[in-house]
């Protein structure tokens, strides 16, 4: 029987408790889970590619599955999935807006490679509001982010905000 390899792609800028929930649950569905860290050209990342990869590696080191690895990529998701021999893409859904975007993305990806299936996992109810974009915004205005990220990620974000400067009065 072939090894089931799944990819959980994202920018992870920064990695949140919501991401970690999907990683832990997604790892149960496959023999190997590859966390694909990429840059979304529509977003302005707070952390560069290497910093985000290192952050994700550090955070998943504590997950109870030894079949997780972190790989950076800068290509079409379907090309990356083919290179990794993955047959499944795992996507986290927080709500209807995410679903509409992911539905369109999945349709386009199936046009590129209909051999790779997409699996949607609903975020845990308590974690559904968390979005990296909002975590960064809250931090930039000096708000508390400890409910949304691990202590180590909080320290990373706060150090970066200190370096680039807080917003607001």
């Amino acid at each position: 029987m072939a090894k089931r390899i799944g990819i959980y792609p994202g920018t992870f800028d920064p990695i949140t408790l919501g991401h970690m929930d999907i990683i832990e649950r997604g790892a149960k569905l496959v023999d190997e889970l590859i966390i694909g860290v990429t840059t979304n050209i529509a977003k302005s990342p707070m952390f560069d590619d290497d910093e985000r990869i290192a952050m994700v590696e550090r955070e998943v080191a504590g997950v109870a599955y030894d079949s997780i690895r972190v790989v950076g990529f800068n290509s079409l998701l379907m090309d990356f999935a083919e290179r990794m021999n993955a047959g499944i893409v795992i996507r986290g859904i927080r709500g209807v807006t995410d679903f509409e975007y992911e539905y369109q993305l999945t349709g386009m990806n199936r046009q590129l490679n209909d051999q790779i299936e997409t699996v949607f996992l609903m975020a845990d109810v308590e974690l559904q509001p968390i979005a990296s974009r909002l975590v960064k915004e809250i931090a930039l205005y000096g708000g508390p982010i400890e409910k949304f990220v691990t202590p180590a990620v909080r320290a990373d974000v706060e150090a970066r905000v200190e370096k680039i400067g807080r917003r607001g009065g």
Side-chain angles (χ1 to χ4, degrees), residues 7 25 30 39 44 47-48 62 72 76 78 95 102 109 112 114 121 128 144 150 167:
I7 292 184
R25 291 170 46 223
V30 294
T39 299
S44 301
F47 298 95
D48 68 30
L76 290 173
M78 292 296 103
E102 294 295 341
N109 284 339
L112 297 173
D114 64 1
L121 292 178
Q128 284 180 3
T150 65
R167 307 290 195 296

Side-chain angles (χ1 to χ4, degrees), residues 30-147:
V30 294
D31 299 314
E32 179 181 8
L33 179 62
I34 299 168
I35 302 170
V37 180
T38 189
T39 299
N40 183 332
I41 59 173
K43 298 179 181 179
S44 301
M46 179 177 272
F47 298 95
D48 68 30
D49 294 352
D50 292 336
E51 290 170 321
R52 288 181 289 113
I53 290 168
M55 188 183 301
V56 172
E57 286 176 334
R58 179 191 68 216
E59 295 302 311
V60 301
V63 176
Y65 297 91
D66 58 358
S67 60
I68 297 174
R69 66 183 166 121
V70 180
V71 178
F73 75 102
N74 187 15
S75 65
L76 290 173
L77 175 57
M78 292 296 103
D79 291 343
F80 177 63
E82 285 178 31
R83 281 196 313 274
M84 297 291 109
N85 295 313
I88 300 169
V89 172
I90 296 172
R91 301 295 293 178
I93 303 285
R94 291 175 300 217
V96 174
T97 305
D98 280 354
F99 179 78
E100 289 176 2
Y101 172 75
E102 294 295 341
Y103 179 80
Q104 182 180 25
L105 187 62
T106 298
M108 294 296 285
N109 284 339
R110 285 198 57 82
Q111 294 295 316
L112 297 173
N113 186 331
D114 64 1
Q115 301 302 303
I116 298 173
E117 292 294 339
T118 299
V119 175
F120 298 121
L121 292 178
M122 289 297 299
D124 182 276
V125 173
E126 293 181 11
L127 302 174
Q128 284 180 3
I130 302 174
S132 293
R133 171 183 53 84
L134 297 175
V135 169
K136 289 185 290 191
E137 186 174 334
I138 291 166
L140 283 166
Y141 284 94
I145 61 171
E146 62 271 358
K147 291 181 181 178

